[in-house]
């Protein structure tokens, strides 16, 4: 595993954003900033992207506010946690690191929507965009969750629905049933990689952001994001965009397709043996695909 060259904290108003850099930041080097999923997860499960620093591309990981090494705010009101907050945090981090004139973005899952929204404003220094395993909207996501849930083994979805109706989604039976879905559509490796488990443990230890904005599970989105999406703005993305998803992904082709149809300069790679984390499930092919893209953007 690649060790970070530097770690630090970016002041964000009265709060702080923890980050790590692998490689040397320079105005002449296109940096890759990695936005994790959740919302409310951590950078841990994406740390393998630090290997891209071997290309001469510095890689920045950060924990979004509310989790990991960044400020935890378990008592913040629900209306504190907004898309605008996380967009402002990303802008702030890019400026703090001095890379606003030359950077790429990689966003996974919720992070994919976040970076797409950021890119749609056409920042002058943005050179490229990777949207990985991300739906274009949560209404689309919920439509497809119903399809995937209906295909679960007999009795599983009935168990999930019963607990969701009763408000007992914190029960062991509900958690066991969610794992059936997760093993099919989130990560098909057995056991789950340690770095993936680490992000889950972090989110379990402080579920504030996830429960407020998403809900109790990946497929029961009842939080503030339930009606949100980026289909109205992604046509404004002007940089070369790499779109990634897995054949068994909870981000099904139907949820991803709007990016492919609306972004002017886009290429879509589907990983046939992956679900929601191709970088862990098919690491060699993922590395090849991302390396080719990063080289093209960073070095022409």
């Amino acid at each position: 595993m690649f060790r970070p060259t530097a770690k630090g904290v970016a002041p964000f108003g009265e709060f702080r954003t923890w980050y790590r850099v692998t490689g040397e930041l320079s105005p002449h080097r296109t940096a890759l900033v990695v936005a994790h999923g959740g919302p409310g997860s951590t950078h841990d499960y994406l740390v393998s992207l630090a290997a891209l620093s071997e290309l001469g591309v510095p890689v920045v990981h950060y924990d979004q506010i509310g989790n990991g090494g960044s400020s935890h705010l378990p008592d913040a009101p629900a209306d504190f946690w907004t898309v605008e907050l996380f967009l402002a945090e990303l802008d702030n981090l890019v400026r703090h690191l001095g890379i606003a004139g030359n950077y790429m973005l990689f966003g996974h899952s919720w992070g994919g929507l976040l970076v797409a929204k950021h890119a749609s404003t056409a920042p002058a220094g943005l050179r490229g965009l990777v949207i990985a395993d991300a739906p274009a909207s949560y209404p689309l996501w919920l439509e497809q969750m119903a399809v995937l849930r209906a295909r679960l083994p007999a009795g599983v979805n009935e168990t999930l629905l019963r607990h969701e109706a009763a408000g007992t989604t914190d029960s062991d039976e509900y958690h066991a049933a969610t794992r059936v879905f997760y093993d099919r559509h989130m990560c098909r490796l057995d056991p789950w990689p340690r770095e993936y488990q680490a992000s889950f443990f972090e989110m379990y230890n402080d579920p504030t952001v996830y429960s407020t904005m998403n809900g109790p599970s990946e497929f029961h989105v009842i939080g503030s994001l339930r009606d949100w999406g980026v289909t109205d703005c992604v046509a404004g993305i002007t940089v070369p965009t790499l779109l990634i998803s897995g054949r068994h992904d909870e981000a099904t082709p139907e949820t991803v397709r709007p990016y492919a149809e609306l972004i002017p300069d886009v290429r879509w790679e589907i990983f046939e043996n992956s679900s929601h984390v191709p970088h862990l499930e098919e690491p060699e092919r993922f590395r090849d695909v991302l390396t080719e893209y990063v080289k093209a953007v960073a070095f022409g």
Side-chain angles (χ1 to χ4, degrees):
M1 193 63 65
F2 284 75
R3 294 185 179 276
T5 306
K7 295 181 180 180
V9 170
F12 178 45
E14 60 186 294
F15 313 116
R16 65 178 198 172
T17 301
W18 178 94
Y19 65 86
R20 52 170 275 171
V21 180
T22 310
E24 298 297 330
L25 293 177
S26 163
H28 307 295
R29 293 182 175 183
T30 305
L32 177 67
V33 181
V34 180
H36 63 69
S41 185
T42 62
H43 80 284
D44 301 85
Y45 74 101
L46 291 165
V47 75
S48 62
L49 272 68
L52 291 166
S53 62
E54 282 191 320
L55 303 175
V57 173
V59 179
V60 178
H61 287 85
Y62 74 105
D63 287 336
Q64 294 163 23
I65 185 172
N67 281 83
S70 296
S71 296
H72 286 238
L73 301 160
D75 298 322
D79 60 5
F80 174 82
W81 303 107
T82 64
V83 172
E84 290 70 27
L85 172 73
F86 292 97
L87 287 169
E89 180 186 36
L90 177 56
D91 287 340
N92 180 73
L93 177 65
V94 168
R95 290 194 303 269
H96 174 82
L97 294 174
I99 58 175
N102 191 10
Y103 67 104
M104 294 178 282
L105 289 173
F106 177 104
H108 179 262
S109 197
W110 138 261
L113 288 95
L114 184 69
V115 300
K117 184 69 173 177
H118 173 95
S120 72
T121 65
L126 183 64
R127 301 289 178 250
L129 180 69
V130 182
I131 301 172
D133 312 280
S137 79
Y138 283 92
L140 273 176
W141 176 268
L142 285 169
E143 287 178 12
Q144 288 300 300
M145 289 303 102
V147 173
L148 296 179
R149 287 172 60 147
R151 296 173 182 166
L152 293 173
V156 175
N157 196 33
E158 288 74 13
T159 298
L160 295 170
L161 290 168
R162 174 162 46 82
H163 284 288
E164 288 162 4
T168 51
T169 54
D170 57 348
S171 70
D172 290 343
E173 187 179 36
Y174 186 80
H175 290 156
T178 62
R179 186 61 189 255
V180 177
F181 180 97
Y182 290 178
D183 286 344
R184 285 186 171 204
H185 301 297
M186 284 187 68
C187 182
R188 294 166 73 87
L189 299 176
D190 185 16
W192 283 2
R194 181 176 299 179
E195 60 267 37
Y196 197 44
Q197 294 185 48
S199 286
F200 266 82
F201 289 146
E202 290 274 8
M203 196 157 56
Y204 177 81
N205 288 335
D206 188 348
T208 304
V209 182
Y210 187 78
S211 61
T212 301
M213 297 185 74
N214 190 86
S217 68
E218 290 291 284
F219 43 78
H220 189 47
V221 181
I222 56 175
S224 57
L225 289 176
R226 63 187 178 274
D227 298 317
W228 184 69
V230 293
T231 54
D232 62 336
C233 66
V234 292
I237 295 174
T238 58
V239 296
T241 300
L242 174 63
L243 190 57
I244 289 171
S245 64
R247 179 61 65 190
H248 309 283
D249 208 326
E250 58 180 353
T252 66
E254 288 76 9
T255 71
V256 174
R257 187 167 290 113
Y259 293 117
E261 294 177 343
L262 296 170
I263 298 174
D265 184 2
V266 65
R267 171 180 143 217
W268 188 1
E269 291 282 346
I270 297 178
F271 288 72
E272 295 295 335
N273 298 309
S274 294
S275 56
H276 200 50
V277 283
H279 66 286
L280 299 176
E281 295 165 295
E282 294 182 67
E284 293 183 3
R285 182 174 174 233
F286 180 88
R287 183 177 61 246
D288 291 345
V289 168
L290 199 57
T291 295
E292 178 187 1
Y293 172 81
V294 167
K295 280 183 175 179
V297 171
F299 307 113

